[in-house]
Amino acid sequence: MYRERPSRLSGAVVWTRTVGGSGDARPVLPDGCMDLLWCEGRLLVAGPDTHAYVPDAAPGTRYAGIRFAPGAGPAVFGVPAHELRDTRVALDAIWPGAEVRSLVERIGEAARPAAALEAVALAKVPGPDPLTRAVADRLAAGWSVTATAAEAGLGARQLHRRCLDAFGYGPKTLARILRLQRALDLVRRGVPYAEAALAAGCADQAHLAREMRSLAGMTLTDYASAANSETSTPSGSWTTA
């Protein structure tokens, strides 16, 4: 069972998941984000993905996490995003071991581990980087990489370096991922595939299908089926985090 709610931290999402049976291994799709995870007494960092990640966990395994807004994670962890791309690493490989052990104990003893995890994140997050937020917002809105760089006052190479540090990959890959996420958000709302493709900025449904296979490793039909079978809770009504 998976549940999520908006975080008190701007742009972030707090979530929990308890792994069910063998058919519950749903892939985590690329979204330009980084997560701080608590899992059965361990704290982990999930770096930005460039392809679908399928968790390998036994039934009953419990997770709590906070998914930071695109580009926000590196300021929390103190590590450029590209160094954690397509990885899951123990938090004590990044932060001091004594600090992590104290946090693991505090979160493990909390009645609501996800809320305790959110409190850790709120204490760690610095002020937002206006440039990073602007780049993510414009690419998410469908701006071209060239127009985004010009609006940000950056050259192409400068934008590429800033994106590697903030998001884990260059602006073209980030734009593809955010476009796919726009399309999938529409698919989850029941918008027909062809309409979702055009609204998200794809040339047509076939273009969206190719991006889905390339970035997510699955078909649109498989994704829609999995999304419809998920159990989630609307914002504001989740009381177990």
Side-chain angles (χ1 to χ4, degrees), residues 179-180 182-184 186-187 191-209 220:
R179 181 177 61 198
L180 178 63
R182 289 198 305 275
L184 295 182
L186 293 170
V187 168
V191 175
Y193 299 156
E195 293 180 23
L198 293 175
C202 294
D204 51 28
Q205 182 176 333
H207 182 193
L208 174 58
L220 285 164

Side-chain angles (χ1 to χ4, degrees), residues 57-111:
T61 301
R62 297 175 301 150
Y63 290 90
I66 180 163
R67 181 175 304 115
F68 299 102
V76 178
F77 301 119
V79 177
H82 65 84
E83 293 187 11
L84 299 176
R85 184 173 53 229
D86 292 323
T87 63
R88 271 68 181 159
V89 300
L91 184 61
D92 59 12
I94 301 173
W95 290 359
E99 179 183 3
V100 173
R101 287 191 293 273
S102 176
L103 292 175
V104 166
E105 183 176 355
R106 183 199 315 172
I107 293 168
E109 292 177 350

